[in-house]
């Protein structure tokens, strides 16, 4: 009797296939790396540029989740459902925040062809309400083709105490801030460990490493020794620093001769007109940012050194880019705690100066003033979230010693982040599949620009690319770029100060000749109305083809389309110790009122945390300190604490806290009130941009209140914690949009 073999052998890539490392920076402007003109020390990224190529007309989508989706799939962001952030999934085709199976991602394709696939760092491609311990996990990193993952799912993270995920489950960081923990260092450690594990287990097998540190997104967290070398370096201010950057860019060739430096807009204050306190605070913000960038560069250097020591750097394609231009979400003043925005608290010089000495430390969730974002995008206009070049043109470095002969050159074809997908597959000798798991794959929008690696005269791979983000629209077609002046909603200072249109029907389409206008500085729409009309029509066709429509620039218009949880949290939940931290998205909304009741057996000298979520940057905890029940709520760093007027007695009992709609907290022993705090304002819909988990019987990371230190375990028995709310709270869609933007 004969039988046919049924085992399907694992795929293998072509002989000599390169390893691939994608380093994806966050909120890093065109001019902020040393090799793109900043003067900030980035020696390891500069080393990549000196040994490879810099692309000075590389474009992204202007926002984080969309750029990452476009990179990993090779498609336009709306075409794969990521027209906005993963935090705001909508039931319109272009905005579901769910990568479709018809666009198999790069790690899946490489894995099927014999690569190890490893992801470390920021993800931000899992839709809201799918980020809990229950998943579903189809849009977590392992669900789209990575074999190992270590990092964080949300748009940002506290670098001293992040909300970490390993593979498909949440974990606590391996060390504390007091022990010297920093997220970027931890991510580099884990990437190196994954590479060693892979190399020892499967010698010669190529790998794809996706390395995405949270830097340079706010909070700009870094320890003082990295900041000290920059003390006084930015006292000249952003106007002078921008001019210095521009001269370095011209001298290095990263910006072509004849480029015009776009002028400072009215809404960015002139440095010479600032008083001494403003200058001092603003300079400090940039000193900390620069230290954070140099620290990030050092961790990238550790990864590169490891590859070199292992003998793998020569045949490794390293692509390094940023997901969007520099971020202006710190507003005019900058912010000591970005969570303040979610509760409508204005930034102020006085509040910032109070944290001058610890700016960038664990007590802050800091962001710089938008004057530095403007300068960081030199020589362009505007910043992240806008489809002007300041939002969409970022650094790209390609380093591959075995595959690129020229060293240190600048390449100038117009390329887009979706072109990286086919370029990397081309370099690996792997065709994009037509069918995956029986599903016909949708058109790849990008095209390979590998020819430019060795031929500086090679043309751009495509001649047309549309852009859209929060109603800001533009289109590149050949030598031309058309750009609207639309101002989106979501950042208060922008809504009040930026000039431009607030209604789609009033938008002006400016026109720029990119052949002679590298910086998008001279609007020639009046001279070429026919070209403007042609490009507007082409944008409309591209928008329809890619599911961009209908347009929206705020969440109010789309809130009825919001995709809520399949399994809603409900209004009455009971939790018992022993499980992992409960994801904040799995809890009922608290802003409309709540009642927490802890069933406990108290010791003779009761002490410790009953439950806690978040930390002193934003969070809440019910605990016993000095024998008295205490509830602490950090409202974006503002402590709201209420302490009971009597000790907790020993024995079995119920301890609780009630939040009434009259803006008050009431502590309870059983049903007896033992303390009340009234306050102004309201509670935020979300206390942590980076997500948080409810812990029972202890806390971890940073505490919510200085009245206890983590882990502060409850020294009695904790039987259960019950949470009751009036029912599903109504989310303010504008607040929700602003929170999402600040967490990206």
């Amino acid at each position: 009797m004969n039988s046919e073999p049924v085992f399907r052998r694992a795929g293998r890539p072509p002989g000599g296939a390169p390893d691939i490392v994608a380093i994806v920076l966050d909120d890093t402007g065109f001019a902020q790396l040393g090799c793109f003109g900043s003067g900030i020390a980035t020696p390891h990224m500069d080393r990549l540029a000196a040994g490879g190529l810099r692309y000075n007309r590389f474009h992204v989508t202007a926002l984080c989740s969309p750029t990452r989706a476009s990179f990993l799939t090779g498609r336009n962001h709306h075409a794969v459902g990521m027209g906005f952030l993963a935090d705001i999934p909508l039931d319109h085709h272009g905005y579901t925040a769910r990568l479709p199976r018809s666009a198999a991602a790069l790690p899946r394709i490489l894995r099927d062809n014999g690569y190890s696939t490893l992801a470390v760092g920021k993800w931000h491609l899992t839709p809201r309400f799918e980020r809990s311990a229950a998943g579903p996990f189809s849009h977590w990193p392992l669900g789209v083709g990575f074999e190992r993952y270590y990092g964080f799912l949300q748009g940002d993270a506290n670098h001293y105490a992040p909300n970490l995920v390993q593979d498909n489950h949440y974990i606590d960081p391996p060390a504390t801030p007091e022990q010297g923990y920093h997220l970027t260092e931890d991510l580099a450690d884990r990437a190196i460990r994954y590479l060693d594990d892979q190399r020892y287990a499967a010698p010669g097998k190529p790998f794809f490493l996706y390395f995405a540190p949270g830097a340079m997104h706010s909070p700009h967290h870094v320890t003082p020794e990295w900041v000290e070398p920059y003390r006084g370096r930015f006292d000249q201010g952003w106007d002078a620093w921008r001019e210095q950057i521009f001269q370095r860019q011209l001298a290095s060739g990263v910006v072509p001769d004849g480029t015009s430096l776009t002028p400072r807009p009215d809404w960015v204050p002139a440095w010479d007109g600032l008083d001494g306190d403003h200058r001092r605070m603003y300079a400090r913000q940039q000193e900390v940012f620069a230290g954070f960038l140099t620290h990030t560069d050092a961790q990238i250097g550790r990864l590169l050194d490891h590859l070199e020591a292992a003998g793998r750097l020569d045949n490794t394609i390293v692509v390094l880019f940023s997901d969007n231009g520099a971020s202006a979400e710190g507003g005019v003043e900058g912010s000591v705690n970005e969570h303040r925005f979610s509760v409508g608290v204005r930034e102020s010089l006085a509040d910032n100066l109070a944290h001058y000495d610890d700016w960038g430390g664990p007590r802050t969730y800091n962001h710089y003033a938008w004057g530095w974002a403007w300068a960081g995008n030199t020589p362009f206009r505007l910043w992240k979230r806008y489809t002007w070049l300041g939002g969409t043109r970022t650094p790209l470095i390609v380093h591959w010693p075995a595959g690129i002969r020229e060293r240190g050159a600048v390449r100038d074809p117009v390329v887009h982040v979706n072109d990286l997908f086919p370029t990397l597959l081309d370099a690996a000798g792997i065709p994009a599949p037509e069918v995956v798991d029986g599903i016909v794959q949708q058109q790849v929008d990008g095209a390979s620009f590998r020819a430019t690696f060795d031929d500086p005269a090679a043309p751009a791979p495509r001649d047309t690319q549309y852009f859209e983000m929060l109603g800001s629209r533009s289109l590149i077609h050949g030598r031309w770029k058309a750009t609207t002046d639309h101002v989106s909603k979501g950042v208060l200072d922008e809504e009040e100060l930026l000039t431009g249109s607030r209604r789609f029907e009033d938008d002006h389409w400016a026109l720029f000749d990119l052949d002679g206008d590298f910086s998008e500085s001279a609007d020639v729409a009046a001279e070429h109305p026919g070209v403007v009309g042609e490009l507007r029509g082409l944008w409309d066709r591209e928008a329809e083809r890619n599911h961009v429509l209908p347009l929206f620039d705020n969440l109010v218009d789309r809130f009825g389309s919001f995709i809520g949880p399949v399994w809603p949290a409900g209004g009455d939940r009971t939790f018992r110790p022993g499980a992992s931290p409960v994801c904040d998205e799995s809890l009922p909304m608290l802003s409309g009122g709540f009642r927490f009741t802890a069933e406990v057996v108290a010791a003779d000298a009761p002490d410790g945390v009953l439950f806690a979520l978040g930390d002193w940057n934003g969070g809440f905890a019910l605990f016993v300190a000095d024998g008295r029940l205490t509830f602490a709520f950090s409202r974006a760093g503002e402590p709201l604490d209420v302490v009971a007027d009597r000790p907790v007695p020993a024995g079995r009992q119920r301890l609780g806290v009630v939040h009434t709609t009259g803006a008050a907290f009431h502590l309870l022993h059983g049903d007896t009130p033992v303390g009340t705090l009234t306050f102004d304002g309201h509670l935020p819909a979300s206390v942590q941009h980076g997500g948080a988990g409810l812990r029972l019987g202890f806390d971890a990371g940073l505490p919510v209140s200085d009245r206890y230190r983590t882990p502060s375990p409850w020294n009695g028995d904790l039987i259960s914690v019950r949470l009751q709310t009036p029912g599903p709270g109504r989310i303010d869609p504008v607040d929700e949009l602003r929170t999402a933007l600040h967490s990206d």
Side-chain angles (χ1 to χ4, degrees):
M1 183 172 66
N2 295 324
S3 64
E4 295 294 328
V6 296
F7 179 74
R8 181 178 179 273
R9 297 189 179 276
R12 294 182 68 91
D19 297 321
I20 300 170
V21 175
I23 301 173
V24 184
L25 299 176
D26 208 329
D27 288 6
T28 304
F30 180 82
Q32 288 178 321
L33 305 185
C35 51
F36 278 77
S38 74
I40 297 172
T42 56
H44 301 288
M45 288 184 266
D46 297 353
R47 163 190 171 193
L48 288 175
L53 303 172
R54 283 169 290 172
Y55 285 77
N56 66 357
R57 296 177 190 257
F58 170 73
H59 298 81
V60 292
T61 70
L63 207 57
C64 163
S65 300
T67 289
R68 292 161 196 257
S70 191
F71 165 64
L72 289 172
T73 66
R75 278 82 173 184
N76 291 322
H77 54 301
H78 296 89
V80 291
M82 205 64 71
F84 189 49
L85 299 175
D87 310 83
I88 309 291
L90 304 174
D91 63 13
H92 293 282
H93 191 135
Y95 302 90
T96 63
R98 289 160 169 82
L99 300 181
R101 296 180 66 193
S102 58
L106 184 61
R108 169 63 194 273
I109 297 168
L110 291 173
R111 187 190 72 188
D112 287 354
N113 284 274
Y115 273 73
S116 294
T117 55
L118 317 165
V120 175
K122 174 174 171 175
W123 184 238
H124 211 195
L125 292 172
T126 302
R128 187 171 181 175
F129 306 120
E130 292 189 8
R131 299 186 289 213
S132 76
F137 301 103
S138 53
H139 295 101
W140 290 42
L142 270 58
V144 300
F146 286 108
E147 295 166 312
R148 299 303 311 274
Y149 174 65
Y150 184 84
F152 57 99
L153 297 182
Q154 277 86 357
D156 74 11
N158 187 315
H159 297 272
Y160 298 110
N163 193 29
L164 277 180
V165 167
Q166 179 175 314
D167 296 332
N168 279 350
H169 61 279
Y170 285 91
I171 62 169
D172 286 330
T176 66
E178 293 80 10
Q179 295 168 326
Y181 180 85
H182 192 283
L183 174 62
T184 317
E185 297 174 13
D186 185 20
L187 296 178
D189 289 344
R190 184 58 61 114
I192 290 169
R193 186 184 313 170
Y194 279 173
L195 291 178
D196 278 345
D197 288 349
Q198 188 267 354
R199 176 163 58 101
Y200 298 147
K205 184 179 183 180
F207 66 81
F208 169 45
L209 170 65
Y210 180 77
F211 184 71
M216 295 299 295
H217 196 290
S218 60
H220 301 153
H221 277 161
V222 68
T223 48
E225 67 270 18
W226 293 93
V227 179
E228 190 59 30
Y230 292 101
R231 188 175 292 275
R233 288 272 301 276
F234 303 102
D235 289 353
Q236 79 274 30
W238 42 62
D239 293 295
W241 188 60
R242 188 168 183 259
E243 181 61 42
Q244 293 166 6
I245 289 172
F246 186 55
Q247 294 306 317
R248 283 192 290 263
Q249 290 176 329
L250 290 171
S252 68
V254 77
V255 164
D257 290 337
T259 297
S260 297
L261 180 61
T262 56
R264 176 178 50 78
D266 292 341
W267 57 81
V268 174
W271 191 265
D272 289 346
L274 297 171
D275 60 46
D277 280 347
H278 272 101
R279 292 187 186 186
R280 178 169 167 261
M281 188 67 244
Y282 290 158
R284 183 61 175 172
Q285 293 170 1
Q286 178 70 353
E287 290 169 4
V288 170
F289 175 87
F292 187 33
L293 179 55
T294 299
H295 174 262
T296 302
D297 178 82
Q299 310 320 308
I300 291 171
R302 291 175 53 217
L303 177 60
L304 298 176
D305 289 346
H306 183 79
L307 289 170
E308 189 168 39
R312 300 190 77 154
L313 186 60
D314 187 64
N315 195 32
T316 296
I317 303 176
V318 179
V319 294
L320 182 148
F321 63 93
S322 173
D323 58 9
N324 46 245
S327 165
E329 280 134 21
V332 176
E333 292 290 345
S335 177
V336 66
N337 185 338
E338 271 208 299
H339 297 99
R340 292 161 60 96
F341 197 94
S342 303
V343 293
V345 177
R346 286 275 185 185
E347 308 299 346
S348 74
L349 174 63
D351 290 342
N352 288 344
L353 280 173
H355 288 272
Y356 178 93
D357 290 328
D358 62 341
W359 197 269
R363 287 281 183 177
T364 68
Y365 212 90
N366 55 309
H367 202 336
Y368 56 16
W370 71 15
W372 295 117
W374 166 68
N377 291 324
T378 302
F380 308 126
R381 307 185 198 209
L382 275 178
W383 38 58
K384 172 183 176 181
R385 291 173 292 102
Y386 289 90
T387 63
W388 293 82
L389 292 180
T392 63
R393 189 175 286 179
T394 70
L396 170 65
I397 300 170
V398 181
H399 181 275
W400 184 19
I404 299 175
R405 292 189 297 270
E406 196 166 0
R407 303 285 186 266
V410 175
R411 293 285 191 263
D412 63 1
V414 172
V415 293
H416 188 267
V417 65
N418 60 25
D419 296 320
L420 286 169
F421 173 97
T423 301
L424 294 173
L425 289 179
D426 185 5
I430 297 171
E434 296 181 359
V435 178
V436 176
D437 293 337
I439 297 172
V440 175
Q441 298 294 284
Q442 64 193 67
Q443 172 185 324
V444 174
D445 297 303
S448 174
F449 59 91
R450 186 185 176 190
T452 68
F453 288 2
D454 288 322
D455 182 2
R462 298 176 294 117
D463 66 355
T464 302
Q465 178 62 48
Y466 84 92
F467 300 86
E468 190 279 334
M469 191 56 59
L470 279 168
S472 176
R473 290 136 24 239
S474 65
L475 180 119
I476 292 175
H477 182 60
R479 64 189 286 190
W480 301 106
K481 182 174 188 282
T483 307
T484 67
D485 65 345
H486 194 84
V487 177
S488 63
K489 297 178 177 64
V491 176
L492 286 175
D493 286 351
E494 289 182 0
E495 293 175 19
E496 295 177 359
L497 300 176
L498 263 62
T499 57
S501 168
R502 266 66 176 179
R503 301 194 314 158
F504 291 126
E505 55 267 35
D506 296 334
D507 289 355
H508 168 68
W509 285 81
L511 181 68
F512 305 95
D513 184 350
L514 296 182
D515 278 358
D517 184 6
F518 179 84
S519 61
E520 196 179 32
S521 63
D523 179 9
V524 295
E527 292 93 320
H528 302 279
V531 176
V532 174
E534 178 188 352
L535 267 61
R536 289 187 63 172
L538 183 54
W539 189 93
D540 289 343
R541 292 192 293 275
E542 287 292 290
E544 184 174 2
R545 181 175 71 86
N546 286 280
H547 308 291
V548 178
L549 306 174
L551 284 176
F552 76 104
D553 62 357
N554 63 70
L555 195 59
V556 177
D557 300 336
R558 287 292 192 78
F559 196 65
S561 303
F562 190 74
I563 301 174
V566 176
W567 302 98
D572 192 342
R573 303 285 303 278
T574 297
F575 308 97
R576 291 178 173 81
S580 301
V582 181
C583 178
D584 52 3
E585 294 173 5
S586 299
L587 299 176
M589 293 204 57
L590 306 183
S591 52
F594 60 79
R595 180 181 185 125
F596 277 103
T597 305
E599 190 80 23
V600 307
V601 178
D604 290 337
D607 184 80
V609 170
L610 297 171
F611 60 81
L613 182 146
D615 56 43
W616 55 37
N617 295 296
F620 56 85
L622 185 68
F623 58 95
V624 176
D626 298 323
R628 294 176 186 260
L629 185 65
T630 305
F631 182 68
F633 196 110
S634 172
R635 187 169 57 175
E638 175 195 10
L640 302 173
D641 293 2
V642 54
V643 180
D645 59 14
R646 68 200 70 176
V648 172
R652 182 158 183 161
Q653 59 195 291
R654 290 178 290 113
L655 303 174
V657 59
V658 173
H659 166 49
T660 63
T661 54
F665 297 137
H666 307 279
L667 290 177
L668 301 173
H669 285 184
D671 294 321
T672 303
V674 294
T676 294
L677 173 73
T678 60
F679 53 90
D680 296 326
H682 63 278
L683 300 183
S686 174
V687 298
Q688 283 281 330
H689 290 165
L694 180 70
R695 292 176 168 85
L696 305 181
F698 73 101
D699 199 1
L702 301 173
V704 176
S705 169
D706 286 328
R707 297 176 186 270
Y708 71 90
R709 296 185 63 182
T710 58
S712 191
W714 173 243
N715 67 352
D717 291 333
L718 176 61
I719 300 166
S720 66
V721 172
R722 183 182 184 186
L723 169 58
Q724 298 165 281
T725 64
R730 182 184 183 278
I731 301 174
D732 185 308
V734 176
D735 285 349
E736 192 74 1
L737 175 65
R738 290 171 175 161
T739 298
L741 288 173
H742 275 251
S743 67
D744 173 67

